[in-house]
Amino acid sequence: MPTAPTGYDPSLGNKFIFVTGGVMSGLGKGITAASTGRLLSNAGFDVTAVKIDPYLNVDAGTMNPFQHGEVYVLKDGGEVDLDLGNYERFLDIDMTSDHNVTTGKVYQHVIEKERAGDYLGKTVQIIPHITDDIKRRIREAAEGHDVCIVEVGGTVGDIEGMPFLEALRQFVHEQDEDDFLLTHVTLVPFSKNGEQKTKPTQHSVKELRSIGLQPDVLVGRCEQPLYPEVKEKIALFCDVPTDAVFSNPDVEDIYHVPLTVEEEGLDQYVMQELGLQERALPSAERNNEWRELVTQETTGDVDVALVGKYALEDAYLSVHEALKHAGLEAGVDVNVLWVDAEEMDGDHAARLERADAVVVPGGFGVRGTSGKVDAIRYAREAGVPFLGLCLGFQLAVVEYAQNVLGLAGAGSSELADEPENPVIDLLPEQYEIEDMGGTMRLGAYETDIEPGSLAADLYGGTSCTERHRHRYEVNPEYIDDLEDAGLTFSGRVNNRMEILELPDHPYFVGTQFHPEFRSRPGRASPPFLGLIDAALDREAEREEVSA
């Protein structure tokens, strides 16, 4: 197929699975897509993914975590939607910002090309210029992989998603029939009399068909598996085979979703429709590590206090997942106790004291920092295992400078105007930066680790590569004084402090980077695994005392 006048090459990529959602947002189409990818990967295929976000933001970097969930950071510094974190965890791959397509990115690129005269005086329009740029991005991300799964964010019918669905409609005609599959995820609710209702699904598919798209696979999100007669009704009214209608019922743990849809036969149907069955590994030879890991019996549990300011699990999703991964590796369940940093009295203080370990995650702004400092001091003085991430690392330095080093007015330049002793200060390269979006120290950097340190023991070597997202750092002018007072900076990038630890504490670790972004099921983040191991030791000691 020839290259389009816009420079778009429709020949890139192999097999594509597009995943759309209907009825309402937040249905779990991302987990459905990631689970499909996990099963295809188990069958021996090289799978990648693209997430389409129809918002006008260029990326997710400036979004409020309370409204949109955490900002996930990729290895190249891309600030993206949390769904890409799920893809990395389920598929065990490292993605780049090219795998996230937003309306802002697309329009910005097309407008810049127009201003540069690249369109040779033509009228620049949604079709073909915007739609071709959307398709170009998808195909370039898919190049070199067996299968590319593309999740279209939002809900069918949203006005901001229309250019993407139009690009998808065009995409269908550019692919051979067995190279393209459209999966539509919808809600199948229960009525008050216990009947599974199909009308929302029917209307959602009708909306999809009105713009020229016919789904090949329908996945019903529901409280319980779809009844056989409900599947038949959906198939009849939505013009798909009954075999193409699948259940995705609620489960206790999202890591069980691949097992659920595998039992439904979704992976086999997808491979059949894409002509992949002959290339797939025989069932007996497929990777079974995921199933073994997520269904293993646990030997106990530990309580971990998460001290933050957003009372929303999605705002700290990767931290929750990293704790879960460490628990899986240690063979225990991890109970996360939410502690509101602005409500450190009453129930929240009791949760902190009940916990076997404390985590203070990343964040921005002054709100809640006083409570976080109090939690850090409690963990340090009471010998409670502690892990501070990014802002949590910086606040651990502030707390130590205030209460151990005795520095009057010790603080962070981010949180106070001209503190008397700015032990945390702005990165020098940030002095002249005015724009907020995409301008922090972002992405993966290698850290040198002090031999013989706790960090070296955790990482099993003298270096690690982790992802960053910050504008402030430990002020180099105070490093010698802090270390003379007993704080150890065991990880550095030149004169930039990356890891801290307290040698005489059971487990007191802080990282300027975000280790949670590289944690995977079956490959837990070392600082999180160390925290859970230390929490188990503390739990055992407390049980001995109370016995």
Side-chain angles (χ1 to χ4, degrees), residues 232-255:
E232 292 174 2
K233 184 175 181 181
I234 289 173
L236 176 63
F237 282 90
C238 298
D239 197 23
V240 298
T242 304
D243 289 346
V245 181
F246 298 90
S247 302
N248 187 0
D250 295 344
V251 293
E252 291 185 3
D253 188 332
I254 60 169
Y255 293 155

Side-chain angles (χ1 to χ4, degrees), residues 5-19:
T6 57
Y8 161 65
D9 182 358
S11 67
L12 297 179
N14 293 307
K15 308 282 186 177
F16 294 88
I17 301 172
F18 279 80
V19 181

Side-chain angles (χ1 to χ4, degrees), residues 259-391:
L259 315 185
T260 301
V261 296
E262 182 179 32
E263 289 167 4
E264 282 277 306
L266 177 60
D267 57 327
Q268 291 299 119
Y269 188 83
V270 166
M271 286 188 282
Q272 172 189 307
E273 293 301 299
L274 290 177
L276 293 172
Q277 281 186 314
E278 291 186 2
R279 292 169 49 195
L281 292 172
S283 297
E285 297 178 18
R286 293 181 189 177
N287 189 326
N288 205 35
E289 292 177 3
W290 183 279
R291 176 179 291 274
E292 293 172 354
L293 181 69
V294 303
T295 59
Q296 67 182 359
E297 292 292 329
T298 55
T299 58
D301 61 359
V302 291
D303 296 328
V304 177
L306 179 62
V307 185
K309 65 179 180 179
Y310 300 115
L312 176 72
E313 182 173 331
D314 278 359
Y316 305 106
L317 182 60
S318 289
V319 175
H320 282 269
E321 296 305 306
L323 288 168
K324 186 190 299 183
H325 303 159
L328 286 170
E329 197 155 327
V332 296
D333 294 317
V334 179
N335 305 316
V336 178
L337 309 178
W338 169 247
V339 177
D340 192 321
E342 294 184 288
E343 302 287 343
M344 291 299 288
D345 297 324
D347 291 342
H348 291 275
R351 290 179 201 168
L352 192 64
E353 293 172 5
R354 170 185 151 197
D356 302 306
V358 175
V359 175
V360 176
F364 298 91
V366 69
R367 185 166 69 86
T369 53
S370 176
K372 293 176 183 179
V373 169
D374 289 344
I376 293 167
R377 181 174 187 176
Y378 162 75
R380 180 179 59 81
E381 294 180 343
V384 179
F386 166 79
L387 178 60
L389 309 170
C390 196
L391 179 62

Side-chain angles (χ1 to χ4, degrees), residues 410-430:
S412 168
S413 298
E414 178 188 7
L415 309 175
D417 291 331
E418 299 183 359
E420 184 178 345
N421 283 290
V423 293
I424 303 297
D425 207 359
L426 190 67
L427 293 164
E429 60 265 34
Q430 293 283 318

